[in-house]
Amino acid sequence: MGCMFSQLAAKFAFFPPTPPTYQIEKRENGKLAVVSSSSSMPIPVADDCSLDILLIDTKRGNKIVAFYLKNPYARLTLLYSHGNAADLGQLYDLFVQLKVNLRVNLIGYDYSGYGASTGKPSESNTYADIEAVYQCLQTEYGVSQEDLILYGQSVGSGPTLHLASKLPRLRGVVLHSGILSGLRVLCHVKFTFCFDIYTNINKIQKVKCPVLVIHGTEDDVVNWLHGNKLWKMAREPFEPLWIKGGGHCNLELYPDYISHLFRFIQEMENMNSKIHLNKIRQTLQLPTRSNNTTSVSTNRCFWIKCWRPKCPECLKPSCCSIKCSWKMKCPSCWIPSCLKCCQIPKCPSSWIPGCQECCQIPKCPSCWIPSCLECCQIPKCPSCWIPSCLECCQIPKCPSCCIPSCVKHCQIPKCPSCLRPSCSCCRVTCFNWQCCVEPKRPINGKQDG
């Protein structure tokens, strides 16, 4: 019953251009070429070496057409899933602009029943189509998921999120006027029914890479609330772009569109792949750890995993063992319970933690022996630098002869005239200070003049 409703919903959901805007023909050299069905549609240059026209087989037996545009300066590849009522003939000019301005390799494809692709359009066929294109990128061009960005516009957000939910190491996702589900576009429902198609509301939480959402505020086909809900439900949302006054099919005409999209591509290029992979590896390990425990222990230890520090030995946040989580590890043997050596400071000489004889006693600056109390506690003599020399270092030195024991000279004040400390005639016996104040007399005792 649900499959019948899905087929009925597909008839109202897909509107491929009729007739197609292009055709594919095979030339003499074996290469595929594009022939335009309308004079108003741009035709790819036949001798353009940067364009590869591919015909890819899907697992559901359809053959889909894809355009691969190469950029020699590109580091990432953009896989573009277009919206409804459009095919590659209408989007070729846009692909060229995105390839040049975003500096990426770009591959766009037509769903089954669109353009020159065979089959009938349906939800399951679009899932098989994008999986076949991704497999072609891996085998033919060597593109890994770490260097791939998925781009989904309108209905194309369905197959985009379908593939993104299966690639844990994907670099990024862009949702252009994306939908929550097919039924939610027609009416406001809070539940997902069995006949609903493209239930992106259930797949967005499985995407483990940054998600950029672009939506117009005046979109009359897919309401802006769809893009806002997808952005809020993303696990790693990027700064969204809400284009004021933008509709459903004209967002590429606004200058903010290409500038914001270019900034997102640059952020993805500058993203450190090692850090990104570590984040993904941690998220992938969380369900495995929770499955090993019982339901009771999971509920009990959920708060502990978030707030307690991880054990440095086993790196498990739920490791509540006192032995490894709360005790300090010894820097020598790295045993948490080793209290003998990690709590006692190590000796700077022998680096033995229990050596209290030398590390607790200050070392002598002369012989560097910690137990040498004879010379390190006594000040050294400034003349002979012998610590035990008490005769000269404790007695002040004479300023004339610099001999510490010269008590005769250093204790007597010097004469201000002759500067001799032993000149007792001018300061001790000569009370008239004749030699200090008056000019000197001649030797015969007579004054001059």
Side-chain angles (χ1 to χ4, degrees):
M1 191 68 177
C3 181
M4 184 182 300
F5 278 110
S6 298
Q7 294 177 359
L8 183 62
K11 292 182 180 180
F12 293 98
F14 300 100
F15 301 97
T18 305
T21 60
Y22 71 98
Q23 293 179 359
I24 298 295
E25 65 177 14
K26 195 172 184 178
R27 297 192 172 182
E28 296 179 356
N29 55 4
K31 293 185 178 181
L32 298 176
V34 178
V35 178
S36 177
S37 301
S38 175
S39 59
S40 61
M41 292 294 105
I43 302 176
V45 181
D47 57 350
D48 187 5
C49 60
S50 64
L51 173 64
D52 292 343
I53 301 174
L54 309 172
L55 199 60
I56 305 173
D57 296 326
T58 67
K59 63 181 180 181
R60 297 180 65 86
N62 299 323
K63 290 183 179 293
I64 61 174
V65 182
F67 290 174
Y68 183 77
L69 291 82
K70 294 172 287 187
N71 190 327
Y73 303 102
R75 295 174 56 187
L76 301 178
T77 302
L78 195 69
L79 199 163
Y80 195 102
S81 301
H82 61 74
N84 208 349
D87 59 11
L88 294 180
Q90 298 172 339
L91 297 171
Y92 172 73
D93 192 19
L94 174 64
F95 289 169
V96 174
Q97 296 297 326
L98 293 179
K99 179 197 74 170
V100 175
N101 294 326
L102 300 181
R103 200 178 57 187
V104 295
N105 298 320
L106 190 144
I107 184 169
Y109 65 101
D110 266 338
Y111 310 122
S112 299
Y114 280 72
S117 300
T118 63
K120 294 183 179 181
S122 65
E123 180 187 11
S124 55
N125 279 340
T126 57
Y127 292 159
D129 296 340
I130 193 171
E131 289 175 358
V133 173
Y134 171 66
Q135 186 177 3
C136 177
L137 285 175
Q138 285 185 309
T139 56
E140 298 295 332
Y141 299 99
V143 178
S144 60
Q145 56 180 300
E146 292 86 355
D147 300 327
L148 183 64
I149 296 178
L150 300 184
Y151 190 110
Q153 178 186 8
S154 187
V155 175
S157 61
T160 295
L161 289 178
H162 167 77
L163 182 61
S165 61
K166 295 184 176 182
L167 302 180
R169 300 187 302 275
L170 192 64
R171 183 57 66 97
V173 171
V174 180
L175 299 179
H176 178 165
S177 302
I179 63 175
L180 291 172
S181 68
L183 186 60
R184 286 176 172 84
V185 177
L186 302 176
C187 56
H188 181 70
V189 293
K190 296 183 179 179
F191 304 98
T192 301
F193 296 91
C194 60
F195 54 86
D196 200 357
I197 63 173
Y198 294 134
T199 55
N200 297 333
I201 191 174
N202 300 330
K203 298 178 181 178
I204 186 65
Q205 296 179 347
K206 299 179 182 179
V207 179
K208 302 179 179 65
C209 62
V211 177
L212 168 63
V213 179
I214 303 174
H215 215 106
T217 58
E218 301 297 331
D219 194 335
D220 55 353
V221 179
V222 180
N223 194 281
W224 169 82
L225 296 176
H226 285 251
N228 188 33
K229 184 70 173 180
L230 290 173
W231 176 68
K232 289 182 178 179
M233 295 183 66
R235 298 176 61 176
E236 195 172 344
F238 191 81
E239 181 183 353
L241 176 60
W242 312 128
I243 299 181
K244 295 182 180 180
H248 189 70
C249 301
N250 62 348
L251 300 184
E252 297 88 354
L253 303 178
Y254 290 84
D256 292 341
Y257 167 79
I258 195 67
S259 61
H260 195 87
L261 190 58
F262 178 73
R263 187 162 66 90
F264 175 75
I265 298 296
Q266 279 190 326
E267 290 288 338
M268 297 303 101
E269 289 181 352
N270 298 331
M271 180 187 298
N272 192 340
S273 58
K274 185 176 180 181
I275 297 176
H276 184 56
L277 292 178
N278 289 335
K279 290 182 180 179
I280 297 173
R281 198 173 290 113
Q282 291 177 2
T283 56
L284 292 176
Q285 289 178 356
L286 290 178
T288 306
R289 292 178 180 175
S290 60
N291 293 334
N292 294 334
T293 58
T294 59
S295 59
V296 178
S297 62
T298 303
N299 296 332
R300 183 183 304 173
C301 297
F302 181 77
W303 184 84
I304 297 176
K305 286 183 180 181
C306 296
W307 294 104
R308 284 194 177 180
K310 288 189 177 183
C311 170
E313 214 167 280
C314 57
L315 293 175
K316 295 180 180 179
S318 59
C319 182
C320 303
S321 175
I322 303 178
K323 186 174 182 180
C324 57
S325 295
W326 299 106
K327 286 189 178 182
M328 186 193 311
K329 285 195 173 185
C330 171
S332 300
C333 57
W334 288 94
I335 301 176
S337 57
C338 181
L339 299 177
K340 295 182 180 180
C341 55
C342 64
Q343 298 294 338
I344 302 173
K346 289 191 175 184
C347 171
S349 300
S350 59
W351 286 94
I352 302 175
C355 180
Q356 296 183 358
E357 296 180 359
C358 58
C359 63
Q360 300 294 336
I361 303 173
K363 289 191 175 183
C364 171
S366 298
C367 58
W368 288 95
I369 301 176
S371 58
C372 180
L373 298 177
E374 297 179 359
C375 58
C376 64
Q377 298 295 337
I378 303 172
K380 290 189 175 183
C381 172
S383 299
C384 59
W385 289 96
I386 301 176
S388 59
C389 180
L390 298 178
E391 298 179 359
C392 57
C393 64
Q394 298 294 338
I395 303 173
K397 290 188 176 183
C398 173
S400 300
C401 59
C402 291
I403 301 176
S405 59
C406 182
V407 184
K408 299 180 180 180
H409 296 64
C410 63
Q411 297 298 335
I412 302 173
K414 290 187 176 182
C415 173
S417 299
C418 59
L419 294 175
R420 295 180 182 178
S422 59
C423 182
S424 57
C425 62
C426 59
R427 286 201 175 192
V428 180
T429 58
C430 183
F431 293 97
N432 295 325
W433 301 94
Q434 295 178 0
C435 64
C436 298
V437 180
E438 298 179 0
K440 293 184 179 181
R441 298 177 181 179
I443 300 176
N444 56 8
K446 296 182 181 180
Q447 296 184 355
D448 298 338

